[in-house]
Amino acid sequence: MKKRNILWAVMLLAISMAIPFKMQATEVDAPIKTIFTKAISTQTQAGGWIEVYGEKKDLLGYVAYSKPYSNGIQGYNGETPLIIGFDNQKRIIAVQILENQETPQFLDHAKAGGLFNRWDKMTLKQALEANPDMVSGATYTSRSVIQSFNACINHLNEAGFASDNKSKSGLFIVGGLFIGALLIVVVSRRIRRHSSVVA
């Protein structure tokens, strides 16, 4: 009975090591649908970005939410949380504002001034180096949007978004399973040795 409990404990340990690196596919949030109209499912990665998949399980692109990284960044009348969309080559295809308390006239003025299109087609590296101008007449709102955007992409950069994340997560899964299998072998050998000594 003791042997079986130890074996189960080792197996659970192996599984728990592998699970965090592979998240389950989930339903698509409404803001993601505004960027990827053909999105069927999403998969959140450990670094905070979300992979977006189509009907044939093809990777359509990625999205990232500025919150919580932009928490506390204020515009004229409140925070300006964003969703940033990337194509499957990790170039920016959309920057959109989410539900907010910002003054609508300033937000509309910033939109009309092209603020939300300033990063179109940029890679993460180019976006990190960009220094977009604020829209005159919506300075506080512009500054808040730019700072929220920068908070998000700085996090993505630090979390390794620009690198080949799929292969990394795959390596983690394989590594976790390998370590788990190795632990099972080691423990089962020790149990057999202990059993033969006792017998």
Side-chain angles (χ1 to χ4, degrees):
M1 188 71 173
K2 236 180 193 181
K3 292 181 211 174
R4 189 177 294 163
N5 288 343
I6 292 170
L7 192 60
W8 277 112
V10 172
M11 286 173 65
L12 285 172
L13 176 66
I15 291 166
S16 67
M17 288 173 70
I19 282 173
F21 302 108
K22 186 73 174 173
M23 308 298 263
Q24 291 293 326
T26 57
E27 291 297 312
V28 181
D29 292 343
I32 297 173
K33 277 279 197 185
T34 65
I35 299 171
F36 295 101
T37 55
K38 295 182 179 178
I40 299 297
S41 66
T42 60
Q43 191 171 355
T44 303
Q45 297 301 311
W49 59 89
I50 301 167
E51 295 175 349
V52 183
Y53 293 93
E55 191 175 358
K56 296 176 182 174
K57 297 186 180 176
D58 50 322
L59 179 65
L60 301 176
Y62 309 84
V63 294
Y65 289 97
S66 69
K67 291 183 81 66
Y69 320 111
S70 62
N71 283 355
I73 297 173
Q74 296 287 318
Y76 185 79
N77 194 44
E79 295 183 353
T80 52
L82 305 172
I83 182 172
I84 303 169
F86 300 83
D87 65 17
N88 56 14
Q89 300 298 310
K90 298 184 179 175
R91 289 180 302 248
I92 296 168
I93 56 170
V95 177
Q96 297 178 0
I97 190 146
L98 300 170
E99 191 174 331
N100 63 86
Q101 300 299 315
E102 186 58 302
T103 307
Q105 74 179 69
F106 294 132
L107 200 49
D108 290 344
H109 193 66
K111 286 177 184 175
L115 178 64
F116 292 89
N117 302 108
R118 303 267 166 98
W119 299 280
D120 285 359
K121 298 181 181 176
M122 287 187 185
T123 63
L124 190 68
K125 185 179 180 210
Q126 290 167 334
L128 286 164
E129 294 169 356
N131 189 18
D133 294 328
M134 288 181 275
V135 176
S136 179
T139 308
Y140 289 109
T141 302
S142 299
R143 182 181 298 124
S144 178
V145 168
I146 292 167
Q147 288 176 352
S148 294
F149 176 88
N150 287 339
C152 184
I153 62 165
N154 280 321
H155 166 76
L156 291 176
N157 185 52
E158 289 169 11
F161 176 71
S163 61
D164 187 8
N165 304 303
K166 284 194 83 60
S167 64
K168 276 188 181 176
S169 64
L171 282 173
F172 280 129
I173 292 164
V174 171
L177 291 173
F178 175 75
I179 291 168
L182 194 61
L183 282 170
I184 291 169
V185 170
V186 169
V187 170
S188 63
R189 282 187 180 172
R190 286 194 176 186
I191 290 169
R192 277 193 223 133
R193 273 194 219 144
H194 181 70
S195 298
S196 62
V197 169
V198 171

